[in-house]
Amino acid sequence: MTRTPFFIQTAQELAQTAQASYQRGWSPATSTNFSTRLPEANRFAISRSGIDKSICQPSDILQVDERGVTQPGFEGRPSAETPLHIALYRYSAHIGAVVHTHSIASTLLSLEWAPQGKITFSNLEILKGFQGTTTHETSHDLPIFPNSQDMEALGKEVITYLEQQTAPQFGLLIEGHGLYAWGADLAEAKRHCEAYEFLLSCLLVKGQREGARLSL
Ligand SMILES: [Zn+2]
């Protein structure tokens, strides 16, 4: 299959996003995955399974259908977490890209806050990084879901939750696993991911400082 100019550019942007995520320590040991919706109906671009994100190339980006099946002309298996990406695209036509990271902060804090089911962030300037937010005087919930290797079931659980929400939703944590963030396009999904990672890092450092000895 001949790659369209749109796909070629999309694959470059996704590969760059994966490499940048690795550089920030958010994609260790071949983990994490990155995707966008394609203009063709029910077609998505997503990173290949098991690739080292430090050297992710455009050739590591596959085209899949709504069942996560690799399309003719592309080699390899898509990420094992493809069903969760596709569940999000099915949930809302406004979601155009999904970014998934395995940072230290998202891994540790999703475990620590799992009993509460969410982390609430309030009164922070970085909250203006979320689409439609114009003031720091607000609160934003980041929900936490139990980890699962059954991505179809996890996808259903996530969509059931999202359908019950009235506030705009831009991400979620999976317990002991990592962060999912999404947006209308890849730029917005990356911005939401960075905002969440910044918030989680702040919370992690705050906990360390409160637990630290203040004198030598
Ligand atoms: Zn993952």
Side-chain angles (χ1 to χ4, degrees), residues 63-85:
Q63 183 173 325
V64 299
D65 65 14
E66 75 279 13
R67 294 165 299 150
V69 174
T70 303
Q71 295 301 284
F74 294 85
E75 295 287 329
R77 279 186 301 116
S79 163
E81 295 181 44
T82 300
L84 184 48
H85 288 246

Side-chain angles (χ1 to χ4, degrees), residues 19 24-25 31 56-57 62 76 80 84 87 93 121 136 191 208 210:
Q19 287 199 19
R24 301 185 79 163
S31 67
C56 184
Q57 299 297 312
L62 306 179
L84 184 48
F121 300 105
H136 65 284
R191 195 179 80 230
Q208 289 167 340
E210 285 170 355

Side-chain angles (χ1 to χ4, degrees), residues 119-166:
I119 302 175
T120 302
F121 300 105
S122 304
N123 301 317
L124 293 160
E125 185 71 12
I126 195 71
L127 292 171
K128 288 162 64 182
F130 294 118
Q131 196 275 331
T133 305
T134 56
T135 175
H136 65 284
E137 293 177 319
T138 187
S139 285
H140 184 84
D141 286 347
L142 181 59
I144 304 171
F145 294 83
N147 198 14
S148 173
Q149 300 306 316
D150 184 343
M151 284 292 146
E152 300 275 356
L154 181 55
K156 283 182 184 151
E157 189 179 347
V158 165
I159 300 315
T160 298
Y161 169 86
L162 291 175
E163 286 174 346
Q164 293 169 349
Q165 306 310 306
T166 51

Side-chain angles (χ1 to χ4, degrees), residues 31-33 81 100-102 177 180:
S31 67
T32 74
N33 29 79
E81 295 181 44
H100 171 47
T101 51
H102 283 201
H177 179 161
Y180 271 79

Side-chain angles (χ1 to χ4, degrees), residues 21-22 24-28 31-32 100-103 193-194 197:
S21 178
Y22 179 89
R24 301 185 79 163
W26 299 347
S27 294
S31 67
T32 74
H100 171 47
T101 51
H102 283 201
S103 64
C193 175
E194 286 188 8
E197 289 289 0

